[in-house]
Amino acid sequence: MTGDESSTTVGVVVPRSRLRVTLARRIVRVRESLPAISQIVVAATAAYAFAHFVLGHPVPLLAATVTVSSLGLVRDARPWRVAETVVGMLVGILIAEVVLVTAGTGWWQIAVAMTVTMLVARFLSPQPAFALAAVVQSLIALVIVTGVPFLRLVDGAVGGVAALIVTALIPRTLRRTELRDADELFDALDVAMATIVRALRKGDRARAERGLERARSLQTYVDAWSGSLESGREVARISPFLRRQRTELQRHERVREALDLTTRNLRVVARRAAYLCVDGDARPVPADLLAELARGASLVRDSLDDISVEPAARAALVAITRRLDPAALLPDGGVGELNLVAAMRPLAVDLLTAAGMPSAEARALLPRI
């Protein structure tokens, strides 16, 4: 094996192609973490500096640790989640301070403080992270003891305020993150629809089953887009730098809601297609209809970046929606094939809604059956 084909690390031969892929993924991970890293560094440094130089606290460790812990490296740092984590940590620090004042420091005081902190935290929030954040800060406050009671509580409050301020001033969930999640959903939707179309054209049962599996997997992409979009909308409410994005994010939310319904209805279409393909017969009419709907979905995708594309998306989808009369399209079709075309009707309505048409108006376009 030549040097171009592999590389040896710790006695293991690893293909260079795999090393390149691994390196690329790590670089992407670092690049995607840059907004979070910037938030954490700025907020923690500012909190520590304020507590030390302005308030005169000698070692304001908790000002920095509360900031770092409340922000974290997760992509979805919504303001209410940051605030909830801050509250959890302040509860832990407060309990530690009370234990120190009333019982002093020692191993059993640590046990008491941890027990009380976790019980109170579990009472206040169902989130396990809330309790963990509270108990960690409680431990720090108990182990690093200063002479002034409740000084660490002030430091923790400074860190929490810094975290909330920086969430607004240095937004973590940028518009491109939300659009990337949307693109991934539309990519997966296109692949699923294309697989079903090919299966119907050839009467390929195995391919139809793959299309059904891909349709079922779309919910993961919907959930990812939901998370980044909701995070972006929450940050935009408080960030002075994202005010102009609020209207656009609201439009994207409308598209996301419609796409959620689209993926659910596509699963129905996929199930019926898989059932029909059992006999191995080609179904060109349903295949063509679904292919046209897929082209309409691609125009909806383009409209996320450019709203001027929405009219073209609506026009293309209106044209197909008006033709979705199973009996007219398949006068000699069987029950299964007619039901398949009928299942595409709500799919077309969902895509029209995503393209900006009210759902009632979209449903009115469907031929009576």
Side-chain angles (χ1 to χ4, degrees):
M1 186 174 292
T2 66
D4 293 334
E5 296 173 341
S6 65
S7 177
T8 302
T9 305
V10 196
V12 179
V13 178
V14 181
R16 287 190 179 275
S17 60
R18 188 184 302 174
L19 289 175
R20 285 194 294 270
V21 170
T22 301
L23 180 61
R25 287 176 179 172
R26 294 181 179 183
I27 291 174
V28 169
R29 184 168 65 239
V30 171
R31 185 170 64 246
E32 291 180 347
S33 298
L34 288 178
I37 292 171
S38 300
Q39 270 192 343
I40 292 171
V41 170
V42 170
T45 304
Y48 184 94
F50 181 86
H52 182 65
F53 295 108
V54 178
L55 300 181
H57 297 180
V59 186
L61 175 63
L62 289 178
T65 59
V66 167
T67 306
V68 173
S69 299
S70 59
L71 290 172
L73 281 172
V74 295
R75 187 182 66 177
D76 186 10
R78 306 180 198 182
W80 70 267
R81 287 186 176 175
V82 173
E84 184 182 58
T85 306
V86 168
V87 169
M89 290 184 285
L90 292 181
V91 166
I93 296 169
L94 176 61
I95 292 172
E97 293 282 12
V98 171
V99 170
L100 283 171
V101 170
T102 58
T105 183
W107 65 269
W108 68 267
Q109 289 91 337
I110 291 176
V112 169
M114 289 178 61
T115 302
V116 175
T117 297
M118 286 192 282
L119 289 174
V120 172
R122 293 302 288 167
F123 175 79
L124 293 175
S125 173
Q127 301 298 328
F130 184 92
L132 292 176
V135 77
V136 167
Q137 299 303 321
S138 179
L139 278 171
I140 294 174
L142 282 165
V143 172
I144 304 175
V145 181
T146 61
V148 182
F150 300 101
L151 185 66
R152 276 78 54 82
L153 186 62
V154 176
D155 289 340
V158 169
V161 171
L164 289 170
I165 291 174
V166 82
T167 299
L169 298 182
I170 308 177
R172 180 177 300 188
T173 306
L174 303 176
R175 185 169 181 266
R176 64 172 177 268
T177 304
E178 176 258 324
L179 284 175
R180 184 187 62 207
D181 288 340
D183 281 340
E184 290 179 356
L185 170 58
F186 276 100
D187 281 340
L189 177 68
D190 184 66
V191 170
M193 296 178 81
T195 304
I196 299 168
V197 167
R198 288 193 294 269
L200 289 169
R201 291 195 194 285
K202 297 183 178 182
D204 188 337
R205 178 182 178 181
R207 183 166 285 172
E209 293 289 348
R210 287 199 298 273
L212 177 57
E213 290 175 3
R214 286 169 174 165
R216 286 171 173 165
S217 70
L218 291 174
Q219 192 60 44
T220 301
Y221 299 96
V222 173
D223 293 341
W225 188 17
S226 298
S228 60
L229 186 54
E230 185 178 350
S231 180
R233 292 179 67 193
E234 290 186 9
V235 174
R237 290 192 189 104
I238 64 172
S239 175
F241 304 112
L242 298 179
R243 291 183 182 275
R244 286 179 290 182
Q245 293 187 16
R246 293 175 186 175
T247 302
E248 192 71 0
L249 289 171
Q250 288 176 353
R251 185 173 70 90
H252 289 190
E253 175 60 20
R254 180 251 297 164
V255 177
R256 186 209 62 78
E257 290 177 353
L259 259 290
D260 189 3
L261 295 175
T262 298
T263 59
R264 296 172 191 270
N265 284 315
L266 182 63
R267 289 196 283 272
V268 176
V269 171
R271 281 195 296 270
R272 294 187 176 180
Y275 173 78
L276 277 180
C277 288
V278 170
D279 60 14
D281 293 339
R283 263 78 180 195
V285 173
D288 290 343
L289 293 172
L290 188 59
E292 289 184 50
L293 288 172
R295 285 191 287 272
S298 69
L299 290 174
V300 173
R301 173 188 191 166
D302 294 339
S303 72
L304 286 176
D305 280 324
D306 185 359
I307 194 174
S308 66
V309 180
E310 269 196 355
R314 285 195 296 271
L317 290 165
V318 165
I320 178 64
T321 301
R322 285 176 170 161
R323 293 168 45 214
L324 288 176
D325 183 345
L329 290 167
L330 297 163
D332 300 321
V335 174
E337 198 168 9
L338 293 172
N339 286 337
L340 175 59
V341 174
M344 296 182 192
R345 290 161 62 91
L347 185 65
V349 170
D350 295 335
L351 288 172
L352 275 171
T353 304
M357 181 177 288
S359 58
E361 186 178 336
R363 286 193 296 270
L365 294 172
L366 290 168
R368 290 183 178 274
I369 57 175

